[in-house]
Amino acid sequence: MKCPSAQPGMGDVQILGVISRDADEPRLAYLDEAMPAAPETLELAAPLNVSQVFRLSARCEEKKCTHFDGSHCQLAVRIARMLPEVVDHLPACNIRPDCRWFRQEGRAACVRCPQIMTGMNEADELWQAVAGVPRLQR
């Protein structure tokens, strides 16, 4: 299984796509083919963080990941239930056959996937909830 929202240090990391900022909201422009996330390629993101330029996929780390509950990716569950659809057709994704989110949530995850930005620094309350960030008690 592959995680479509991976970090650079994970196993079998590939570039899933490039973050496009041509529209009002950032969107993922999927690559036609998987591309290894070689250090020299990821360095092209500088001075920005890698996650502001690229979205990575990698081998799902299952029990090592805070989103995995032992059988399901709860991030995929929250994405499918909490976010609006942003496309009306399945994106041209090169990992779909092995994607944890697609295998688990199907079309509901795919039509929301292009808006996912890994490691958002300026996340509002909805995005924090989707990411699983605990709410602070006031």
Side-chain angles (χ1 to χ4, degrees):
M1 281 296 157
K2 292 197 176 275
C3 170
S5 186
Q7 298 294 329
M10 294 171 68
D12 301 326
V13 179
Q14 297 181 334
I15 298 173
L16 179 61
V18 177
I19 308 302
S20 170
R21 300 192 186 277
D22 294 338
D24 292 340
E25 297 289 326
R27 292 288 182 259
L28 181 63
Y30 295 85
L31 297 182
D32 292 334
E33 296 179 14
M35 176 186 216
E40 56 273 9
T41 304
L42 297 181
E43 288 171 5
L44 296 173
L48 300 174
N49 290 329
V50 169
S51 63
Q52 292 177 292
V53 177
F54 300 112
R55 196 151 118 222
L56 307 176
S57 66
R59 183 179 58 247
C60 175
E61 295 192 341
E62 296 185 350
K63 293 177 180 86
K64 294 180 186 176
C65 179
T66 60
H67 298 295
F68 195 73
D69 70 2
S71 60
H72 291 91
C73 174
Q74 292 302 309
L75 178 58
V77 170
R78 291 188 300 270
I79 286 168
R81 293 185 182 161
M82 298 172 72
L83 294 178
E85 295 182 7
V86 294
V87 294
D88 56 6
H89 61 282
L90 296 181
C93 174
N94 65 56
I95 68 163
R96 185 171 296 114
D98 298 315
C99 178
R100 161 97 39 210
W101 294 1
F102 177 70
R103 289 262 181 103
Q104 182 182 305
E105 302 296 322
R107 181 184 187 283
C110 290
V111 296
R112 291 161 173 86
C113 185
Q115 68 190 308
I116 305 303
M117 302 296 126
T118 305
M120 293 175 58
N121 295 332
E122 301 289 324
D124 65 19
E125 221 172 282
L126 171 63
W127 283 102
Q128 288 178 21
V130 170
V133 175
R135 288 184 62 169
L136 296 175
Q137 298 294 328
R138 295 182 187 204

